[in-house]
Amino acid sequence: MTCGGCSRTSRPKDRPWLMRTYAGHSSAEASNELYRRNLEKGQTGLSVAFDLPTQTGYDPDHVLARGEVGRVGVPVSHLGDMRRLFEDIPLERMNTSMTINATAMWLLALYRVVAEEQGADPHALQGTTQNDIVKEYLSRGTHVFPPGPSLRLTTDVIAHTVQHMPKWNPINICSYHLQEAGATPVQEIAYALSTAVAVLDAVRDGGQVPTGRMGDVVGRISFFVNAGVRFVEEMCKMRAFTRMWERITRERYGIADPRHRRFRYGVQVNSLGLTEAQPENNVQRIVLEMLAVTLSRDARARAVQLPAWNEALGLPRPWDQQWSLRIQQVLAEESDLLEYPDLFEGSKVVEEKVEELVSAAEGEMRRIEDMGGVMAAVESGYLKSQLVASHARRRARIESGEERIVGVNCHRATEPSPLTADLDTAILTVDPANEARVVEALGRWRDERDEERVHRALGGLKRAAAGTENLMPATMECARAGVTTGEWAWALREVFGEYRAPTGVSGAPVAVAPGEGGELAAVRRSVEETARELGAGRLRLLVGKPGLDGHSNGAEQIAVRARDAGFEVVYQGIRLTPEQIVAAAVAEDVHCVGLSILSGSHTELVPDVLRRLREAGAADVPVVVGGIIPAADAAALRAAGVAAVFTPKDFGITGIIGRIVEEIRRAHRPASRVPG
């Protein structure tokens, strides 16, 4: 039926995907207010961002948490915080995604206890815990425990939810951060599905789930993927994922019900490609990326969350997040997308691309299986080195202009943007006094709880960890007893130990050939000349990641390019205190310290490194800093003594290495021709 000559019909529309906004900051109270406002604006699901101490199992008063509390998410230290986070939000009627991995069991336990306190039936709770530790080892860096115990925590959560929370997705196998770390579409598919195989094999062989219920397990496995701006390729990637998952679950695990074999995924579109230069261009990038996961009905996302246009500048404000939500709502409500069957069925071009991706991904999965599976491939460093190498090749293509980024390496002429006319108000800033308030509240919680019950609960957790029983019941008792996030994690650290994942830097091949006359060749000559003038065999650069920021992609790329330029590079990976970084700088007698911080903790941690260098008698060692650093903060860091500040607009890594050489020459003044 048509309406008087127009093309509108009465075709029924598919139900739209869940619309989420990844959100949380400062405190449970502030985040609760933000969630309720977002729900009032039409958001249909919650996506909780936790701060780095919560993600890595530290309380806000731990030395490594300094400067990180409430920065990139909400701090949840105990049951009281979780209560306040969801106050006046009925969890039985909510679909909640929690981006949490190493401490996923703990946060799920807190969530379930709060839901029960609200009177909710655990069997009715809907949502997702990400709970994918493999990608933490490879890309995001919030791992805590070694691979074996981490896999046990994952499978214990799965076994528990199958029995007691059957509508909950206990794992959200996450390829999103793999793409952020440089993964190609083939690597993203292969590494994610290899992780799924490792998890399902462990559940099948673990004995906690009866064989006849493996369909229930497979049916609750979900994925969280990335979608880049090459939206045709990304759409084909999702069809390849769907095809391969159907085959794996049917052939490897004998899952007969096609509903259980369905590839269920949520998505956040690519943040790696968002630019600080001309950030208004990020809006059209986000739209194109969203189309990649919504246009194809047969491989459409079940949930979508979009970054904000200004995330390369800092934390988005509520208005920025509303803009991203409205992008989804316009597509779902105003367009006719949801009225049609799959738009690409029968396309020869799409079919050929999908088959190409499937074939290559299956080959990579066989290679991983031959190594002993994904956990062995993590521990050997193979997967990490492959990602570092892929990312290095991508950066090299951007620097050469082969891969064009509008506003960055082409079409750079621009009118002044009213969106960024006042950069200090174009992003959300967290009150520096917030951390002290959170720490003070934590002290009150400890003072008012039943210490005897806490002691018993932690003892029970450690005994369970030393044995083979499912850890979820002991974890829930810890939650009810008032145990804190740090105490839960430290109890398991005592039993399982901690783990430092391979950095992938030493195994990464050369990405930019130092050809005669090229920029890298010139920097190499400068490195050699400066080392000779300083009487050093080689210039030594320490690349440091202070605090809890695990996004190490930038640091790894600097380390690889500095190595290729002739530096001796000291890079010990993530999660170091300023004290440890300075001790390494002094012990290795480095010529420069490079700090990489993307979490916003630079205002706390960088001055501490500078102070400790002065106290160690190494004030002449220049310090350079890279990260998402607002202009005002950059000026303050330079005033404090930082030699140079690099932000995402400084995309030329070879140029950055050249600048580091200049700063070393300035600091030591080996000759009168120091660059000005």
Side-chain angles (χ1 to χ4, degrees), residues 1 24 56 80 83 87 98 134 157 168 181 241 353 415 428-429 479 505 600 615 622 637:
M1 179 177 179
T56 50
R83 285 179 187 136
E87 189 173 357
M98 294 192 284
V134 170
V157 168
W168 193 266
F241 255 129
K353 184 63 180 176
E415 297 295 330
L428 177 73
T429 55
V505 168
E615 292 173 353
L637 291 177

Side-chain angles (χ1 to χ4, degrees), residues 5-23:
C6 74
S7 59
R8 185 176 299 276
T9 72
S10 57
R11 280 188 294 269
K13 296 180 75 167
D14 289 341
R15 229 170 77 185
W17 51 91
L18 275 172
M19 298 182 191
R20 292 187 168 125
T21 303
Y22 184 53

Side-chain angles (χ1 to χ4, degrees), residues 305-548:
Q305 59 191 42
L306 303 181
W309 69 276
N310 57 349
E311 287 197 22
L313 307 176
L315 286 175
R317 301 157 300 183
W319 183 84
D320 308 312
Q321 294 188 321
Q322 175 183 297
W323 191 356
S324 290
L325 176 62
R326 295 294 187 246
I327 291 172
Q328 295 196 59
Q329 290 170 330
V330 167
L331 180 64
E333 303 290 344
E334 297 186 24
S335 85
D336 59 352
L337 173 66
L338 297 176
E339 297 175 13
Y340 292 92
D342 194 90
L343 303 180
F344 301 101
E345 186 177 351
S347 166
K348 181 180 177 183
V349 172
V350 168
E351 184 60 29
E352 286 179 354
K353 184 63 180 176
V354 171
E355 275 304 314
E356 174 192 322
L357 292 170
V358 167
S359 177
E362 287 179 340
E364 183 65 10
M365 288 185 71
R366 286 192 293 272
R367 188 174 296 111
I368 292 168
E369 188 134 12
D370 289 344
M371 293 178 182
V374 75
M375 290 302 189
V378 166
E379 293 180 284
S380 71
Y382 168 77
L383 295 183
K384 183 64 173 177
S385 66
Q386 291 297 302
L387 291 177
V388 172
S390 291
H391 200 179
R393 288 191 291 270
R394 177 182 180 271
R395 293 300 299 253
R397 291 195 302 272
I398 294 172
E399 291 178 52
S400 70
E402 177 187 349
E403 185 169 324
R404 291 163 68 83
I405 310 293
V406 173
V408 174
N409 63 4
C410 65
H411 307 301
R412 297 175 68 177
T414 182
E415 297 295 330
S417 169
L419 290 174
T420 56
D422 183 357
L423 277 174
D424 292 335
T425 61
I427 56 174
L428 177 73
T429 55
V430 175
D431 182 358
N434 176 71
E435 185 167 316
R437 291 193 292 267
V438 172
V439 169
E440 183 183 356
L442 174 64
R444 289 196 301 271
W445 176 265
R446 288 183 181 137
D447 290 342
E448 294 169 3
R449 66 187 182 177
D450 181 346
E451 284 298 324
E452 181 81 24
R453 186 178 180 186
V454 167
H455 182 74
R456 288 198 306 271
L458 288 171
L461 177 66
K462 285 190 275 191
R463 286 191 297 275
T468 60
E469 64 187 90
N470 189 299
L471 291 171
M472 191 68 181
T475 294
M476 290 185 63
E477 173 53 27
C478 285
R480 294 186 176 104
V483 167
T484 67
T485 297
E487 291 165 344
W488 178 86
W490 278 109
L492 294 183
R493 282 179 170 101
E494 288 181 26
V495 180
F496 295 151
E498 289 190 272
Y499 185 70
R500 295 192 70 81
T503 67
V505 168
S506 60
V510 174
V512 180
E516 287 300 320
E519 184 184 14
L520 184 58
V523 172
R524 282 185 68 95
R525 287 193 298 271
S526 180
V527 169
E528 292 166 0
E529 181 180 339
T530 304
R532 193 162 50 247
E533 292 173 351
L534 292 177
R538 294 172 69 188
L539 293 186
R540 291 178 293 282
L541 170 67
L542 184 147
V543 178
K545 290 285 296 178
L548 297 176

